[in-house]
mmCIF file of all heavy atoms in Angstrom:
data_model
loop_
_atom_site.group_PDB
_atom_site.id
_atom_site.type_symbol
_atom_site.label_atom_id
_atom_site.label_comp_id
_atom_site.label_asym_id
_atom_site.label_seq_id
_atom_site.Cartn_x
_atom_site.Cartn_y
_atom_site.Cartn_z
ATOM 1 N N PRO A 436 -44.453 -25.384 2.861
ATOM 2 C CA PRO A 436 -45.336 -26.323 2.143
ATOM 3 C C PRO A 436 -46.713 -26.354 2.734
ATOM 4 O O PRO A 436 -47.731 -26.428 2.011
ATOM 5 C CB PRO A 436 -44.605 -27.672 2.288
ATOM 6 C CG PRO A 436 -43.151 -27.340 2.565
ATOM 7 C CD PRO A 436 -43.212 -26.059 3.360
ATOM 8 N N PHE A 437 -46.813 -26.307 4.071
ATOM 9 C CA PHE A 437 -48.122 -26.329 4.726
ATOM 10 C C PHE A 437 -48.905 -25.078 4.393
ATOM 11 O O PHE A 437 -50.126 -25.105 4.107
ATOM 12 C CB PHE A 437 -47.893 -26.443 6.262
ATOM 13 C CG PHE A 437 -49.182 -26.700 7.035
ATOM 14 C CD1 PHE A 437 -49.597 -28.019 7.239
ATOM 15 C CD2 PHE A 437 -49.889 -25.662 7.549
ATOM 16 C CE1 PHE A 437 -50.785 -28.249 7.994
ATOM 17 C CE2 PHE A 437 -51.058 -25.897 8.276
ATOM 18 C CZ PHE A 437 -51.503 -27.183 8.506
ATOM 19 N N ALA A 438 -48.223 -23.924 4.385
ATOM 20 C CA ALA A 438 -48.889 -22.679 4.035
ATOM 21 C C ALA A 438 -49.370 -22.715 2.575
ATOM 22 O O ALA A 438 -50.503 -22.354 2.277
ATOM 23 C CB ALA A 438 -47.905 -21.491 4.212
ATOM 24 N N ALA A 439 -48.516 -23.229 1.688
ATOM 25 C CA ALA A 439 -48.888 -23.285 0.248
ATOM 26 C C ALA A 439 -50.085 -24.194 0.078
ATOM 27 O O ALA A 439 -51.022 -23.870 -0.667
ATOM 28 C CB ALA A 439 -47.705 -23.782 -0.555
ATOM 29 N N ALA A 440 -50.117 -25.308 0.813
ATOM 30 C CA ALA A 440 -51.255 -26.238 0.681
ATOM 31 C C ALA A 440 -52.579 -25.600 1.140
ATOM 32 O O ALA A 440 -53.635 -25.979 0.688
ATOM 33 C CB ALA A 440 -50.940 -27.509 1.473
ATOM 34 N N HIS A 441 -52.492 -24.642 2.040
ATOM 35 C CA HIS A 441 -53.708 -23.970 2.555
ATOM 36 C C HIS A 441 -53.928 -22.618 1.842
ATOM 37 O O HIS A 441 -54.792 -21.862 2.281
ATOM 38 C CB HIS A 441 -53.570 -23.745 4.071
ATOM 39 C CG HIS A 441 -53.743 -24.985 4.873
ATOM 40 N ND1 HIS A 441 -52.765 -25.986 4.901
ATOM 41 C CD2 HIS A 441 -54.782 -25.478 5.597
ATOM 42 C CE1 HIS A 441 -53.204 -26.990 5.682
ATOM 43 N NE2 HIS A 441 -54.412 -26.698 6.089
ATOM 44 N N ASP A 442 -53.143 -22.333 0.819
ATOM 45 C CA ASP A 442 -53.254 -21.083 0.084
ATOM 46 C C ASP A 442 -53.132 -19.858 1.013
ATOM 47 O O ASP A 442 -53.847 -18.889 0.899
ATOM 48 C CB ASP A 442 -54.568 -21.015 -0.702
ATOM 49 C CG ASP A 442 -54.572 -19.940 -1.749
ATOM 50 O OD1 ASP A 442 -53.431 -19.594 -2.234
ATOM 51 O OD2 ASP A 442 -55.615 -19.438 -2.133
ATOM 52 N N VAL A 443 -52.219 -19.977 1.955
ATOM 53 C CA VAL A 443 -51.950 -18.895 2.888
ATOM 54 C C VAL A 443 -50.529 -18.412 2.727
ATOM 55 O O VAL A 443 -49.631 -19.216 2.377
ATOM 56 C CB VAL A 443 -52.158 -19.351 4.346
ATOM 57 C CG1 VAL A 443 -51.549 -18.402 5.385
ATOM 58 C CG2 VAL A 443 -53.655 -19.542 4.649
ATOM 59 N N ARG A 444 -50.300 -17.111 2.849
ATOM 60 C CA ARG A 444 -48.966 -16.555 2.696
ATOM 61 C C ARG A 444 -48.368 -16.247 4.065
ATOM 62 O O ARG A 444 -48.982 -15.559 4.901
ATOM 63 C CB ARG A 444 -49.016 -15.254 1.850
ATOM 64 C CG ARG A 444 -47.673 -14.614 1.693
ATOM 65 C CD ARG A 444 -47.504 -13.919 0.368
ATOM 66 N NE ARG A 444 -48.364 -12.752 0.199
ATOM 67 C CZ ARG A 444 -48.268 -11.931 -0.855
ATOM 68 N NH1 ARG A 444 -47.415 -12.203 -1.858
ATOM 69 N NH2 ARG A 444 -49.084 -10.915 -0.970
ATOM 70 N N ILE A 445 -47.167 -16.715 4.264
ATOM 71 C CA ILE A 445 -46.357 -16.355 5.443
ATOM 72 C C ILE A 445 -45.773 -14.948 5.173
ATOM 73 O O ILE A 445 -44.988 -14.796 4.245
ATOM 74 C CB ILE A 445 -45.206 -17.382 5.653
ATOM 75 C CG1 ILE A 445 -45.750 -18.759 6.013
ATOM 76 C CG2 ILE A 445 -44.208 -16.854 6.692
ATOM 77 C CD1 ILE A 445 -44.730 -19.859 5.962
ATOM 78 N N VAL A 446 -46.211 -13.980 5.969
ATOM 79 C CA VAL A 446 -45.822 -12.594 5.721
ATOM 80 C C VAL A 446 -44.793 -12.196 6.775
ATOM 81 O O VAL A 446 -45.123 -11.970 7.946
ATOM 82 C CB VAL A 446 -47.057 -11.656 5.754
ATOM 83 C CG1 VAL A 446 -46.627 -10.225 5.530
ATOM 84 C CG2 VAL A 446 -48.091 -12.094 4.718
ATOM 85 N N LEU A 447 -43.549 -12.044 6.355
ATOM 86 C CA LEU A 447 -42.462 -11.737 7.311
ATOM 87 C C LEU A 447 -42.450 -10.261 7.614
ATOM 88 O O LEU A 447 -42.453 -9.413 6.733
ATOM 89 C CB LEU A 447 -41.146 -12.189 6.694
ATOM 90 C CG LEU A 447 -41.027 -13.665 6.339
ATOM 91 C CD1 LEU A 447 -39.663 -13.940 5.699
ATOM 92 C CD2 LEU A 447 -41.228 -14.543 7.572
ATOM 93 N N GLU A 448 -42.480 -9.970 8.907
ATOM 94 C CA GLU A 448 -42.434 -8.583 9.337
ATOM 95 C C GLU A 448 -41.087 -8.263 9.931
ATOM 96 O O GLU A 448 -40.643 -8.881 10.912
ATOM 97 C CB GLU A 448 -43.546 -8.307 10.367
ATOM 98 C CG GLU A 448 -43.513 -6.899 10.887
ATOM 99 C CD GLU A 448 -44.844 -6.389 11.429
ATOM 100 O OE1 GLU A 448 -45.700 -7.208 11.751
ATOM 101 O OE2 GLU A 448 -45.022 -5.156 11.528
ATOM 102 N N ALA A 449 -40.418 -7.292 9.324
ATOM 103 C CA ALA A 449 -39.205 -6.731 9.947
ATOM 104 C C ALA A 449 -39.658 -5.838 11.089
ATOM 105 O O ALA A 449 -40.491 -4.942 10.902
ATOM 106 C CB ALA A 449 -38.404 -5.928 8.931
ATOM 107 N N LEU A 450 -39.134 -6.067 12.267
ATOM 108 C CA LEU A 450 -39.410 -5.157 13.387
ATOM 109 C C LEU A 450 -38.250 -4.167 13.578
ATOM 110 O O LEU A 450 -37.118 -4.479 13.222
ATOM 111 C CB LEU A 450 -39.640 -5.956 14.681
ATOM 112 C CG LEU A 450 -41.132 -6.092 15.113
ATOM 113 C CD1 LEU A 450 -41.925 -6.782 14.012
ATOM 114 C CD2 LEU A 450 -41.263 -6.830 16.419
ATOM 115 N N HIS A 451 -38.584 -3.029 14.111
ATOM 116 C CA HIS A 451 -37.542 -2.045 14.379
ATOM 117 C C HIS A 451 -36.369 -2.675 15.123
ATOM 118 O O HIS A 451 -36.595 -3.508 16.030
ATOM 119 C CB HIS A 451 -38.127 -0.888 15.197
ATOM 120 C CG HIS A 451 -37.242 0.295 15.294
ATOM 121 N ND1 HIS A 451 -36.121 0.345 16.065
ATOM 122 C CD2 HIS A 451 -37.308 1.476 14.638
ATOM 123 C CE1 HIS A 451 -35.533 1.522 15.918
ATOM 124 N NE2 HIS A 451 -36.217 2.221 15.069
ATOM 125 N N PRO A 452 -35.135 -2.320 14.790
ATOM 126 C CA PRO A 452 -33.960 -2.924 15.430
ATOM 127 C C PRO A 452 -33.980 -2.818 16.969
ATOM 128 O O PRO A 452 -33.280 -3.600 17.624
ATOM 129 C CB PRO A 452 -32.778 -2.140 14.845
ATOM 130 C CG PRO A 452 -33.242 -1.767 13.476
ATOM 131 C CD PRO A 452 -34.701 -1.458 13.628
ATOM 132 N N MET A 453 -34.758 -1.902 17.540
ATOM 133 C CA MET A 453 -34.774 -1.858 19.006
ATOM 134 C C MET A 453 -35.496 -3.065 19.602
ATOM 135 O O MET A 453 -35.458 -3.290 20.798
ATOM 136 C CB MET A 453 -35.379 -0.548 19.530
ATOM 137 C CG MET A 453 -36.848 -0.387 19.386
ATOM 138 S SD MET A 453 -37.338 1.247 20.082
ATOM 139 C CE MET A 453 -39.007 1.347 19.468
ATOM 140 N N PHE A 454 -36.127 -3.889 18.750
ATOM 141 C CA PHE A 454 -36.792 -5.132 19.205
ATOM 142 C C PHE A 454 -35.978 -6.369 18.828
ATOM 143 O O PHE A 454 -36.503 -7.498 18.985
ATOM 144 C CB PHE A 454 -38.200 -5.207 18.648
ATOM 145 C CG PHE A 454 -39.064 -4.042 18.992
ATOM 146 C CD1 PHE A 454 -39.653 -3.231 18.048
ATOM 147 C CD2 PHE A 454 -39.349 -3.773 20.340
ATOM 148 C CE1 PHE A 454 -40.460 -2.152 18.400
ATOM 149 C CE2 PHE A 454 -40.154 -2.711 20.705
ATOM 150 C CZ PHE A 454 -40.721 -1.891 19.713
ATOM 151 N N ALA A 455 -34.769 -6.223 18.343
ATOM 152 C CA ALA A 455 -33.989 -7.395 17.854
ATOM 153 C C ALA A 455 -33.695 -8.366 18.980
ATOM 154 O O ALA A 455 -33.665 -9.592 18.746
ATOM 155 C CB ALA A 455 -32.714 -6.931 17.202
ATOM 156 N N ALA A 456 -33.491 -7.889 20.182
ATOM 157 C CA ALA A 456 -33.145 -8.804 21.278
ATOM 158 C C ALA A 456 -34.332 -9.605 21.744
ATOM 159 O O ALA A 456 -34.228 -10.800 21.974
ATOM 160 C CB ALA A 456 -32.547 -8.015 22.463
ATOM 161 N N ASP A 457 -35.480 -8.979 21.846
ATOM 162 C CA ASP A 457 -36.567 -9.611 22.573
ATOM 163 C C ASP A 457 -37.837 -9.907 21.744
ATOM 164 O O ASP A 457 -38.746 -10.552 22.254
ATOM 165 C CB ASP A 457 -36.942 -8.828 23.834
ATOM 166 C CG ASP A 457 -37.358 -7.388 23.546
ATOM 167 O OD1 ASP A 457 -37.070 -6.891 22.427
ATOM 168 O OD2 ASP A 457 -37.931 -6.782 24.425
ATOM 169 N N ARG A 458 -37.876 -9.464 20.462
ATOM 170 C CA ARG A 458 -39.132 -9.691 19.723
ATOM 171 C C ARG A 458 -38.967 -10.243 18.328
ATOM 172 O O ARG A 458 -39.764 -11.062 17.894
ATOM 173 C CB ARG A 458 -39.953 -8.385 19.643
ATOM 174 C CG ARG A 458 -40.386 -7.938 21.010
ATOM 175 C CD ARG A 458 -41.645 -7.104 20.967
ATOM 176 N NE ARG A 458 -42.043 -6.896 22.343
ATOM 177 C CZ ARG A 458 -42.994 -7.579 22.954
ATOM 178 N NH1 ARG A 458 -43.645 -8.525 22.321
ATOM 179 N NH2 ARG A 458 -43.291 -7.316 24.227
ATOM 180 N N ALA A 459 -38.002 -9.717 17.594
ATOM 181 C CA ALA A 459 -37.859 -10.183 16.196
ATOM 182 C C ALA A 459 -36.464 -10.002 15.708
ATOM 183 O O ALA A 459 -35.938 -8.869 15.663
ATOM 184 C CB ALA A 459 -38.824 -9.445 15.277
ATOM 185 N N VAL A 460 -35.833 -11.060 15.301
ATOM 186 C CA VAL A 460 -34.482 -11.002 14.796
ATOM 187 C C VAL A 460 -34.476 -10.601 13.291
ATOM 188 O O VAL A 460 -33.396 -10.518 12.703
ATOM 189 C CB VAL A 460 -33.681 -12.312 14.996
ATOM 190 C CG1 VAL A 460 -33.483 -12.554 16.478
ATOM 191 C CG2 VAL A 460 -34.363 -13.488 14.328
ATOM 192 N N ILE A 461 -35.639 -10.392 12.697
ATOM 193 C CA ILE A 461 -35.685 -9.760 11.360
ATOM 194 C C ILE A 461 -35.778 -8.237 11.587
ATOM 195 O O ILE A 461 -36.748 -7.772 12.163
ATOM 196 C CB ILE A 461 -36.873 -10.241 10.520
ATOM 197 C CG1 ILE A 461 -36.819 -11.759 10.285
ATOM 198 C CG2 ILE A 461 -36.884 -9.507 9.151
ATOM 199 C CD1 ILE A 461 -37.918 -12.280 9.385
ATOM 200 N N SER A 462 -34.757 -7.520 11.154
ATOM 201 C CA SER A 462 -34.619 -6.110 11.497
ATOM 202 C C SER A 462 -34.709 -5.147 10.328
ATOM 203 O O SER A 462 -34.798 -3.952 10.542
ATOM 204 C CB SER A 462 -33.277 -5.883 12.204
ATOM 205 O OG SER A 462 -33.139 -6.751 13.334
ATOM 206 N N THR A 463 -34.644 -5.661 9.101
ATOM 207 C CA THR A 463 -34.816 -4.773 7.927
ATOM 208 C C THR A 463 -35.667 -5.469 6.889
ATOM 209 O O THR A 463 -35.770 -6.698 6.836
ATOM 210 C CB THR A 463 -33.472 -4.431 7.269
ATOM 211 O OG1 THR A 463 -32.885 -5.610 6.716
ATOM 212 C CG2 THR A 463 -32.492 -3.808 8.256
ATOM 213 N N LEU A 464 -36.236 -4.658 6.036
ATOM 214 C CA LEU A 464 -37.080 -5.195 4.924
ATOM 215 C C LEU A 464 -36.171 -6.021 3.997
ATOM 216 O O LEU A 464 -36.605 -7.070 3.490
ATOM 217 C CB LEU A 464 -37.727 -4.027 4.174
ATOM 218 C CG LEU A 464 -38.699 -4.360 3.066
ATOM 219 C CD1 LEU A 464 -39.801 -5.267 3.544
ATOM 220 C CD2 LEU A 464 -39.278 -3.051 2.494
#
Side-chain angles (χ1 to χ4, degrees):
Chain A
F437 190 88
H441 287 74
D442 196 26
V443 164
R444 177 146 69 174
I445 295 168
V446 179
L447 301 177
E448 178 156 18
L450 257 59
H451 192 285
M453 73 179 168
F454 301 120
D457 58 344
R458 296 207 172 260
V460 295
I461 300 183
S462 305
T463 67
L464 185 55

